[in-house]
Amino acid sequence: MSEAAVLPKGRFAGAFERVRGNAAFFVGVVVFGLIILVAVFAPLIATHDPLKIDFTAKLAAPSTAHLFGTDELGRDIFSRVVYGARTSLTIGLIVTVLSALIGTPFGLVAGYFGGRIEWAIMRMMDVFIAFPPLLLPIAITAAVGQGLYEAMLALTVSFFPWYARIVHGEAKRISGQLFVKSARAQGFSNLRIMFRHVLPNAWIPAIIQASMDFGYTILAAASLSFIGIGAKEPDLEWGLMVALSRSKFLDYWWVALVPGLAIFLTVFAVNLIGDGVNDMLDPKGDSK
Amino acid sequence: MSRYILQRLGMLLLILLGVLVITFVISRVLPGSAVEMMLGARPTEEQIAAVREQLGLDRSMPEQLLLYIGDTLRGEFGTSLLTKRPVLVEIAERFPATLELVFFSLILVVCAGIPMGVSAALHKNSTSDYAARSVSALGAAMPTFIVAMILQLVFSGWLGVLPLQGRIDGLIQLDYEFPTVTGFYTVDSLLAGQWAAFKSCLLHLIMPVLALSLSALAIIMRITRGMMIEALGEEFIMTLRAYGLSPRKVNYGYALKAALIPLLTVIGMTFGYMLGLSVVVEYVFDWPGIGGFMVGAIVRSDYPAVMGVTLVLASSYLIANLIVDLLHFAADPRLR
């Protein structure tokens, strides 16, 4: 039983030494930390009600009254972007965690049992992966309807097979090792061996994948909202804010650019963290 | 060799079948049923029954699935609810525009991304390495629609040097007609010798191609750099160096060759990535391809059109991957 716990510790050993001196990782952590703070304390930071329409002040340029100006309905852009952090972070978190939670058992079962079960599960995952990125979520929202929750569901369906694939590779490798065979010989149930012996050794690549995916999830969700099949008014979502500003974009460009840059900054920070996590946990990093 | 090809073809058909099952589930089984979509609000009982029979919804699920697969394989994608024309015709008219956009972007990404990645790997931590990594970080985090809109703002709005959207200037298209041969406007206008039309097509291509390329460029540069660094660390490279071969020959003659073969797979992936992303780019630039058509179809609940485009894009990606795998097989003696 205890042998399962030993290996991951080995993986983490030296991880923090490896990341020390990785300035990019710390920049990412600081910026992302600030964005989380903004999301959590949005009501305190926002200067206006993000939904309050004021036709007397529509499309105002940035000023002291409205830090980043106002949109075509006179709503304060700064406050809307501040609240938008909540939406984007929530989408990223829920979609990434759900995808990993759904995909991991598929990969685990396929890798552990092998044979026909493995073949069936992995070919099924291949089918999901056969769709060009963004296409499957678009097709799904066409069927289940367009909205924030529908977009999150659609993104989860298109992301989970990647976790199955990654965990499958690890689980297959580990299932062939002696300690798993001896656990079988001792008569432990398959379920117990899978979750207590194989999984603790197989989940690291899924964590790496999740840290790299988080930013992409935010981008994909914003893209869906932008083309009109994700978030809907009055959701406070950055991609939607850009979409709403499109008709008057050439004259009032800041209305689109501020939420656009908010997406960029968040994804940029998350990617820096993802790279750092990859360096920390990827055992292949040692050899380079 | 032939056994591998057969195996690979069999796998392709199997996956294609799976893709059909997924589009079937999306269009027939999930709520928000096709009947509702086709009839709109408050249909009569007879209308519902008629449509159900027309779609075969009165039969059992497996029967419906078989019928659906049969129809689709025969190219019967149904009729667009919006334009009342066969979906296949709509797609056939628009697909060349999408392919032209993706094709030019792929050329740009491969021709710029691979050399930049190689140079970054050969001169680790040099200026070119930092430049490549910065472009890579920027491209990976910048939403494509924002890149597209910034391009529009700068080059159309402020500088006024590039057309805001579309594929060709409408008046020029009327004045300098050219027949459809390949479906690529740039090629067709050149074949017809219509220079003004060709110029207009090129100008219209620049911004969509740049927008579609940036994030793909980031991916391919990063992967090329990684693969090249890995290839440079291989033992046979050290041996070659020890034999006293010039660094130039070792780097470009051997390491690059070893890195390029796996890069084939990456180019295939990039093609698929761009097919998906082209939906967003076409939407912003009002590019008359199937991606923009699909977005319009979703918003107006035009089911058959959405599923038709999904199938065509997914099959294109599958076929591209097949070609890449076969090339990979032909290029890498270790696989034989």
Side-chain angles (χ1 to χ4, degrees), chain A residues 264-275:
Chain A
F264 168 71
L265 199 64
T266 310
V267 177
F268 187 71
V270 169
N271 284 352
L272 291 180
I273 296 175
D275 285 348

Side-chain angles (χ1 to χ4, degrees), chain B residues 114-115 117-124 224-225 227-234 236-242 244-261 263:
Chain B
I114 294 183
V118 169
S119 146
L122 288 178
H123 313 284
K124 252 173 115 176
T224 308
R225 180 178 176 271
M227 282 180 174
M228 191 68 187
I229 288 176
E230 205 176 303
L232 283 170
E234 298 254 9
F236 77 91
I237 293 292
M238 275 184 246
T239 313
L240 289 169
R241 282 209 184 107
L245 262 71
S246 71
R248 207 186 144 82
K249 187 142 196 199
V250 173
N251 289 343
Y252 294 102
Y254 293 90
L256 182 59
K257 204 171 143 196
L260 276 182
I261 294 174
L263 266 179

Side-chain angles (χ1 to χ4, degrees), chain A residues 127 130 132-133 138 143 246 249 275, chain B residues 26 31 149 222 272 276 284 298 303 317:
Chain A
V127 170
I138 291 176
R246 256 190 93 215
F249 165 65
D275 285 348
Chain B
I26 291 176
M149 287 170 76
R222 189 187 164 120
V284 178
I298 292 178
Y303 248 117
Y317 186 28

